[in-house]
């Protein structure tokens, strides 16, 4: 007997089938099927043959492949009973319930008193499958692995793009062959981490940003994930995501985080746009519009807070166009360097004898909002908090410190209450619109309760201070995922304010993140994390590609630099209403030295293309830059916004250098733009308008 279900829209179809009441398998996932397709026939037709050297029936590559079926690969559940014996459930169909955009399927193993529930949704408009697995047990059991609903990827895929990274180099991508055996990532850091963004894109050799097929995944969880991308000996391929194995525990109720997955027939951009829109319009709640231009004082003053200096800096930042001033680390306890005071969330009277009010008043008078830095989950041994409550620290006493700090046990209600009270106190007594919430080390104990405790604390603060926006930072981009984004409004993508590095990081992050929540700041002339010296035009245009801000001492700017920054900031402000709602489309540059993208308004009426030349090209002249996402029949007027940046060595007369260009979408997408020659470490900015 076959039961079948279909989740689909005009972009994709997922067909699930349960054979003889066994766990459901995705028998089809790909382009939208025509209405009227017979699902039962399709399910039966998907059953593969059996030959020598195999068991007599192919174990289902189900939403939770089972050990009891002798599944020849990673199973979806690994569990033990109270005495440690492995549990080998055989789940059978119990019930189904349809919701407006999804489906809940319940399966049970009555002999073991276990039930397995799959919550499956296809998000309207954004076309993401949002999938969760729940396991309920009558008895206390230990779960070593519970995958979110497991999906197969078809045989015509052959490659995957995986994410790694490090401090100052988040979202590194690597394209690997999908080969027999498994590619496993099990993140033991206790946080999302720079090195383990929980994403995967499965594709084939021909998939590019703008064309080809892709299956993209993201696990929305901040406590560290495990991923398995496996090709079985029989040729089938599966993708599993769940909590990092070290973080799992005993209990009766277990639930995976949501796994977001989508099929794209239009290259990586097809998937990226859905993730970007979903984050912007559905995951992030209540981000202020228009997005204010930030000023963050970290790289200007570090721990040296002097009221008069901060006021002078704020005045200059406002003059450059900043609208929100974020007071970073150093305002609390006796925090003169990073060896002390985390946990003591009281204003340092040595630095602020009259509290923060004089600074806040000054900032408000300049028309800016005031924001402040916290790192709530951390504690220094040299703090009143640690002296009073050494028992609140997570992990062993002799653990290795990280940035001289320890971690608070966020599963402890007393810890959460203490943090809530102190943060709430600062928020109540000061006019604060924004928190930069940091998390600067990996955890000594990998435990899901730590991330849940963090979620609980943020949720409580959000509900009591709904007007306060929060930025998720973790030494830059160490905690970026849809779990944290449900509770915050912006991410600090990286501690690298090096615009060249930033070009690469923000470009790769756009596979999942929209511009409106991705912070990007104009750093100091001499970059503090790379040692490079970069021109203000590169720095300014790079920040203008995302949620713009500044993070240098503005007093270092020459008048000419300040003028450039003022101009780019005004340009950003004039365009942010539509740009922060636009899709970021990554362009397939034919020159590996060029990182290019096009931000296209939702209604297609306008766009802006940014093309950064990160190093000298191998060939003499710029290769035409092919645009994407335009109406082939439509006509567009294009203008090179910063044509005055063309150097004297550009001696010819490409049209865009001197005048606007009118052309069809077809020409712009097929031939592409011929841009003037320029120096490396520059960005061309081209505005386009549909006529
Ligand atoms: C982390 C953050 C930085 C800054 C410092 C302050 O490194 O990523 O942006 O806030 O902490 O100590």
């Amino acid at each position: 007997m076959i039961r079948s279900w279909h989740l689909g829209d005009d972009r994709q179809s997922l067909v699930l089938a349960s054979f003889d009441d066994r766990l459901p398998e995705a028998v089809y996932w790909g382009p939208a099927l025509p209405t009227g397709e017979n699902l039962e026939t399709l399910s039966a037709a998907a059953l593969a043959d059996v030959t020598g050297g195999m068991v007599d029936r192919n174990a289902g590559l189900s939403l939770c492949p089972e050990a009891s079926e002798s599944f020849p690969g990673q199973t979806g559940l690994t569990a033990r009973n109270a005495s440690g014996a492995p549990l080998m459930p055989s789940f059978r169909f119990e019930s189904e319930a349809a919701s407006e955009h999804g489906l809940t399927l319940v399966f049970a193993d009555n002999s073991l008193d276990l039930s397995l529930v799959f919550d499956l949704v296809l998000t309207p408009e954004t076309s993401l499958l949002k999938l969760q697995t729940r396991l309920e047990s009558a008895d206390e059991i230990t779960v070593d692995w519970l995958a979110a609903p497991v999906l197969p990827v078809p045989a015509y895929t052959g490659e995957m793009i995986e994410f790694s990274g490090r401090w100052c180099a988040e979202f590194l991508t690597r394209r690997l062959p999908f080969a027999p055996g498994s590619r496993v990532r099990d993140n033991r850091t206790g946080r999302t981490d720079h090195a383990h963004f929980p994403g995967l894109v499965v594709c084939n050799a021909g998939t590019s940003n703008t064309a080809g097929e892709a299956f993209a995944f993201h696990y929305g969880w901040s406590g560290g994930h495990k991923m398995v991308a496996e090709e079985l000996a029989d040729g089938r391929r599966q993708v599993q995501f769940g909590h990092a194995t070290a973080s799992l525990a005993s209990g009766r109720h277990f639930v995976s985080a949501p796994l977001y997955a989508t099929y794209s027939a239009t290259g990586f951009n097809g998937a990226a746009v859905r993730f970007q829109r979903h984050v912007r319009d559905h995951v992030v709640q209540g981000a202020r519009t228009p997005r204010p231009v930030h000023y963050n004082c970290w790289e200007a003053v570090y721990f040296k807070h002097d009221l008069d200096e901060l006021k002078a800096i704020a005045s200059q930042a406002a003059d450059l166009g900043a609208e929100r001033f974020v007071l970073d680390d150093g305002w609390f306890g006796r925090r003169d360097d990073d060896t002390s005071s985390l946990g003591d969330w009281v204003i340092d009277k040595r630095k602020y004898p009259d509290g923060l009010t004089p600074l806040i008043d000054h900032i408000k008078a300049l028309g800016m909002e005031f924001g402040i830095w916290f790192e709530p989950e951390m504690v220094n041994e040299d703090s009143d908090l640690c002296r009073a409550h050494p028992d609140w620290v997570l992990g062993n006493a002799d653990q290795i410190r990280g940035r001289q700090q320890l971690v608070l046990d966020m599963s402890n209600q007393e810890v959460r209450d203490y943090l809530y009270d102190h943060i709430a106190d600062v928020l109540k007594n000061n006019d604060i619109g924004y928190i930069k919430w940091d998390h600067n080390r990996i955890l000594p104990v990998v435990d899901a309760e730590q991330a849940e405790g963090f979620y609980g604390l943020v949720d409580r603060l959000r509900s009591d201070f709904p007007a306060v926006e929060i930025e998720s930072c973790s030494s830059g981009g160490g905690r970026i995922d849809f779990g944290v984004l449900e509770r915050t409004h912006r991410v600090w993508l990286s501690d690298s304010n090096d615009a060249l590095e930033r070009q690469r990081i923000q470009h790769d992050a756009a596979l999942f993140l929209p511009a409106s929540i991705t912070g990007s700041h104009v750093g100091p002339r001499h970059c503090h994390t790379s040692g490079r010296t970069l021109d203000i035009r590169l720095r300014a245009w790079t920040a203008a590609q995302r949620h713009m801000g500044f993070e240098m001492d503005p007093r270092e700017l020459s008048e000419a630099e300040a003028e450039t920054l003022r101009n780019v900031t005004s340009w950003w402000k004039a365009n942010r209403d539509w740009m922060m709602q636009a899709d970021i489309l990554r362009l397939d540059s034919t020159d590996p030295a060029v990182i290019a993208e096009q931000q296209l308004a939702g209604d297609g009426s306008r766009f802006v293309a940014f093309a950064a030349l990160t190093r000298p090209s191998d060939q003499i002249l710029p290769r035409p830059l092919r645009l994407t996402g335009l109406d082939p029949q439509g006509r567009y007027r294009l203008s090179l916004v910063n044509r005055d940046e063309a150097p004297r060595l550009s001696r010819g007369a490409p049209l865009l250098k001197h005048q606007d260009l009118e052309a069809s979408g077809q020409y712009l997408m097929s031939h592409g733009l011929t841009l003037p020659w320029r120096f490396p470490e520059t960005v061309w900015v081209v505005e386009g308008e549909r006529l």
Side-chain angles (χ1 to χ4, degrees):
M1 183 195 143
I2 302 178
R3 291 173 202 274
S4 48
W5 300 274
H6 179 222
L7 280 179
D9 58 17
D10 56 353
R11 285 162 279 185
Q12 62 186 320
S13 284
L14 175 72
V15 178
L16 299 169
S18 160
F19 300 94
D20 297 327
D21 284 344
R22 291 192 297 271
L23 290 179
E25 303 172 34
V27 291
Y28 176 89
W29 182 26
L33 293 169
T35 41
E37 186 83 58
N38 186 319
L39 299 185
E40 216 166 287
T41 306
L42 209 143
S43 306
L47 280 175
D49 204 353
V50 176
T51 182
M54 302 180 84
V55 292
D56 299 338
R57 172 172 66 73
N58 284 306
L61 202 172
S62 68
L63 297 184
C64 185
E66 290 172 299
S68 59
E69 285 218 310
S70 308
F71 183 75
Q74 170 73 51
T75 55
L77 168 67
T78 315
R80 288 171 279 143
N81 68 15
S83 47
L87 289 167
M88 303 268 278
S90 250
F91 289 103
R92 289 292 176 271
F93 178 79
E94 279 283 308
S95 65
E96 63 181 287
S99 59
E100 198 187 348
H101 301 290
L103 196 60
T104 296
L105 301 177
V106 183
F107 290 74
D109 181 322
N110 294 325
S111 64
L112 294 173
D113 271 340
L114 292 173
S115 63
L116 194 61
V117 183
F118 302 107
D119 291 308
L120 315 166
V121 169
L122 180 61
T123 62
E125 290 148 39
T126 49
S127 197
L128 293 180
L129 293 161
K130 185 179 177 194
L131 314 169
Q132 267 181 290
T133 305
R134 280 185 280 145
L135 175 70
E136 315 281 351
S137 169
D139 304 316
E140 176 104 352
I141 59 169
T142 300
V143 166
D144 299 310
W145 173 238
L146 176 67
V150 176
L151 291 174
V153 285
Y156 59 81
T157 60
E159 297 190 349
M160 63 177 106
I161 295 180
E162 238 218 352
F163 296 86
S164 57
R166 59 166 166 81
W167 178 68
C168 286
E170 292 81 350
F171 287 90
L172 285 173
T173 58
R174 211 171 297 267
R175 203 157 171 162
L176 304 169
F178 215 128
S182 32
R183 175 80 189 161
V184 178
R185 296 189 76 89
D186 200 356
N187 170 3
R188 294 192 55 91
T189 67
R191 64 175 175 184
T192 325
D193 205 60
H194 309 76
H196 303 281
F197 175 74
L200 178 75
V201 182
V202 177
C203 57
N204 54 44
T207 312
S208 67
N209 287 317
T210 56
E213 289 177 285
F215 296 81
F217 301 83
H218 169 68
Y219 190 64
W221 168 242
S222 310
H225 78 292
K226 176 178 167 180
M227 176 205 85
V228 181
E230 183 177 32
E231 181 175 307
L232 305 176
D234 59 37
R236 290 180 292 176
R237 295 187 179 131
Q238 64 162 337
V239 173
Q240 298 198 3
F241 274 89
H243 284 21
T245 46
S247 67
L248 297 164
S250 302
R252 292 189 165 81
H253 177 80
F254 305 85
V255 61
S256 76
L259 173 64
Y260 297 86
T262 197
Y263 161 78
S264 161
T266 51
F268 304 129
N269 286 342
V273 162
R274 291 180 208 161
F275 284 117
Q276 291 169 20
R277 291 183 180 182
H278 196 72
V279 170
R280 190 189 64 213
D281 300 338
H282 302 285
V283 177
V284 171
Q285 302 290 326
R288 239 168 327 286
T289 49
R291 307 298 283 145
V293 176
H294 272 224
Y295 176 77
N296 181 298
C297 69
W298 177 238
E299 295 203 359
V301 300
Y302 293 105
F303 298 100
K304 199 173 151 289
H305 290 207
D306 175 274
L307 183 59
D308 290 334
E309 282 208 20
L310 286 167
K311 282 184 177 173
I313 288 172
S315 300
Q316 287 209 25
D319 172 63
L320 293 167
E323 298 161 310
R324 176 186 272 161
F325 180 101
V326 180
L327 185 67
D328 211 280
D329 195 355
W331 58 268
F332 54 91
R334 298 175 69 82
R335 180 92 166 156
D336 296 333
D337 56 34
D338 58 15
T339 60
S340 87
S341 302
L342 291 174
D344 296 345
W345 301 110
V346 285
I347 297 162
D348 185 346
K349 289 279 181 200
R350 297 170 311 156
K351 297 177 185 170
Y352 299 98
D354 301 314
L356 293 173
T357 309
L359 179 61
I360 296 178
D361 285 349
H362 179 81
I363 283 163
K364 303 288 288 189
L366 292 165
M368 289 193 284
E369 182 179 84
F370 180 75
I372 194 163
W373 183 94
F374 282 98
E375 194 181 0
E377 297 140 87
M378 300 292 160
V379 66
N380 285 115
E381 281 151 296
D382 182 6
S383 68
D384 294 341
L385 179 65
C386 201
R387 282 183 281 272
H389 294 286
D391 53 313
W392 284 5
V393 169
L394 187 72
N396 299 334
D398 64 351
Q399 64 180 274
I400 302 177
R401 275 61 177 157
R403 204 193 191 197
Q404 285 91 230
Q405 64 200 47
L406 294 163
V407 185
L408 293 169
D409 177 359
M410 296 298 290
S411 68
N412 181 340
Q413 181 70 46
E414 281 183 276
V415 169
R416 294 199 301 270
D417 288 346
Y418 168 90
L419 292 171
Y420 175 86
D421 290 344
H422 283 75
I423 297 170
D425 220 45
V426 175
L427 296 179
K428 273 183 216 146
N429 296 320
N430 297 284
D431 190 350
I432 293 175
Y434 190 79
I435 292 176
K436 176 177 173 188
W437 188 304
D438 217 331
H439 180 282
N440 281 318
R441 57 159 291 176
I442 63 172
L443 303 187
V445 177
V446 184
D447 180 350
E449 286 192 13
Q450 193 66 17
E452 274 149 15
F454 157 65
Y455 285 170
L457 175 61
V458 190
D459 290 347
R460 186 169 167 207
L461 286 162
R462 280 291 308 277
S463 94
D464 292 353
F465 300 92
V468 176
E469 264 195 35
I470 303 178
E471 169 171 33
S472 175
C473 175
S474 180
S475 305
R479 187 154 63 187
I480 299 178
D481 57 79
F482 291 10
V484 80
L485 281 167
E486 279 175 21
R487 314 173 148 83
T488 53
H489 306 85
R490 185 189 207 243
V491 295
W492 183 226
L493 185 62
S494 178
D495 272 354
S496 175
N497 282 324
D498 175 314
L500 286 178
E501 314 264 353
R502 201 79 183 192
Q503 279 287 340
R504 205 278 308 150
I505 302 169
Q506 63 194 23
H507 189 67
D508 287 331
L511 287 167
F512 296 91
L513 304 181
S516 57
I517 64 108
T518 306
S520 195
H521 294 175
V522 179
R525 190 185 300 128
H526 303 289
C527 176
H528 294 187
T529 54
S530 70
R532 282 199 185 103
T533 300
L534 296 171
D535 190 276
I536 188 67
R537 291 166 292 188
L538 172 71
R539 288 182 281 147
W541 285 120
T542 300
Q545 288 176 233
R546 296 295 184 270
H547 182 191
M548 189 173 190
F550 320 139
E551 189 164 340
M552 88 299 274
D553 188 334
R555 295 170 300 181
E556 78 168 32
L557 296 171
S558 68
E559 194 32 57
E561 286 172 327
E563 193 50 29
T564 301
L565 186 50
R566 241 179 251 120
N567 290 341
V568 175
T569 306
S570 320
W571 178 89
W572 188 80
K573 284 182 178 170
N575 286 282
R576 65 181 157 189
D577 284 349
W578 73 269
M579 249 175 64
M580 294 299 104
Q581 296 294 313
D583 298 325
I584 304 170
L585 303 173
R586 293 160 29 114
L587 295 175
D588 290 321
S589 168
T590 44
D591 183 344
V594 173
I595 295 177
E597 65 184 38
Q598 182 186 330
Q599 305 196 4
L600 179 64
D603 64 1
S605 62
R606 61 195 298 181
F607 64 85
V608 55
F610 297 95
L613 182 62
T614 60
R615 58 178 166 82
S617 298
D618 293 346
Q619 78 288 350
I620 299 174
L621 294 174
R623 292 199 159 124
L625 180 67
R626 304 215 296 175
L627 301 184
T628 190
L630 306 179
D631 175 359
Q633 303 305 319
R635 289 200 65 74
Y636 296 84
R637 181 185 302 119
L638 278 73
S639 168
L640 183 59
V641 178
N642 53 343
R643 52 171 62 110
D644 62 335
E645 290 184 27
R648 287 174 52 146
L649 272 175
S650 156
R651 297 188 296 139
L655 188 135
L656 270 171
K657 191 168 139 188
H658 301 289
Q659 65 182 76
D660 291 354
L661 157 71
E662 276 185 33
S664 67
Q666 188 66 70
Y667 173 82
L668 297 169
M669 293 192 290
S670 302
H671 181 277
L673 296 177
T674 304
L675 289 160
W677 189 92
R678 37 63 185 265
F679 289 131
E681 305 184 356
T682 54
V683 184
W684 281 137
V685 184
V686 180
E687 279 178 322
E689 181 195 353
R690 189 172 176 157
L691 298 172

